[in-house]
Amino acid sequence: MGELDEIARRAWRRTIPIAIGGFVVGAVIGVFLPGSDSALGRFLSVVGFGLSVGGLSGTFSLLTASFRLTPSLQWPLRGLGRADRRGVRRAVISGQPIEPRDSELARRAFDWAHGAAVALPVSLGQFLLLYAGIAGPQVPNVIRDDAWNPEFPRVFIAALVVVAIVFSVVLGRQIRGARRYLAATSGQ
């Protein structure tokens, strides 16, 4: 286990209780704030404030790990031409090792794949927590009919969900590719 793995592991161990604690604190705030008289409105208020505080606190908790892990995605590609950088990324995402395997480009691809396999899950978690924190304040407004713009909360949350799904699929594909690349090159 390398230094990058330990940074990510510590970040997740720290972030999970922080995000859960933030959700609980936000939910308690949502209980005590005046809101809708209906049970559904009160429930959405509690969930919305919980998502907001929990998501943003988890995002900020992962921020330091993201800053520390980002160079692992940059330094292996530093000094390479545009075509070589693109070739390394494509090889890693597709999970196909670069030949010859003892070349400088293959070593850089392995380093980039290791960095991606560790840093991208942290980035994905940070992104999803941030979107939960952004969408949280709009959740109670989903059932309210605002005179000025009644559809904004629904459209906004739907747009956030669609972007989060697309981004999760794209990053998930890259993470799986990096892990396949590491498995293919480590078997030697």
Side-chain angles (χ1 to χ4, degrees), residues 32-95:
F32 289 117
L33 286 178
S36 176
D37 293 332
S38 71
L40 179 61
R42 175 61 65 194
F43 174 75
L44 290 177
S45 179
V46 168
V47 169
F49 279 102
L51 284 175
S52 180
V53 175
L56 292 177
S57 62
T59 298
F60 288 119
S61 174
L62 285 176
L63 192 61
T64 57
S66 289
F67 285 142
R68 291 181 69 194
L69 293 173
T70 298
S72 68
L73 293 174
Q74 295 171 344
W75 69 263
L77 302 179
R78 194 167 284 147
L80 293 178
R82 185 176 183 183
D84 286 339
R85 284 193 309 264
R86 186 178 304 135
V88 165
R89 287 189 187 116
R90 284 185 182 161
V92 169
I93 291 171
S94 68

Side-chain angles (χ1 to χ4, degrees), residues 93-155:
I93 291 171
S94 68
Q96 300 297 320
I98 293 178
E99 299 294 337
R101 293 190 184 197
D102 58 345
S103 68
E104 175 70 18
L105 201 57
R107 186 188 60 75
R108 286 180 179 227
F110 179 82
D111 292 342
W112 193 82
H114 183 255
V118 174
L120 291 182
V122 172
S123 296
L124 178 60
Q126 183 180 3
F127 174 78
L128 293 176
L129 285 168
L130 177 64
Y131 268 35
I134 292 171
Q138 295 299 322
V139 170
N141 299 331
V142 169
I143 62 169
R144 294 185 191 143
D145 286 328
D146 185 11
W148 297 102
N149 197 355
E151 294 299 318
F152 175 75
R154 296 174 189 126
V155 171

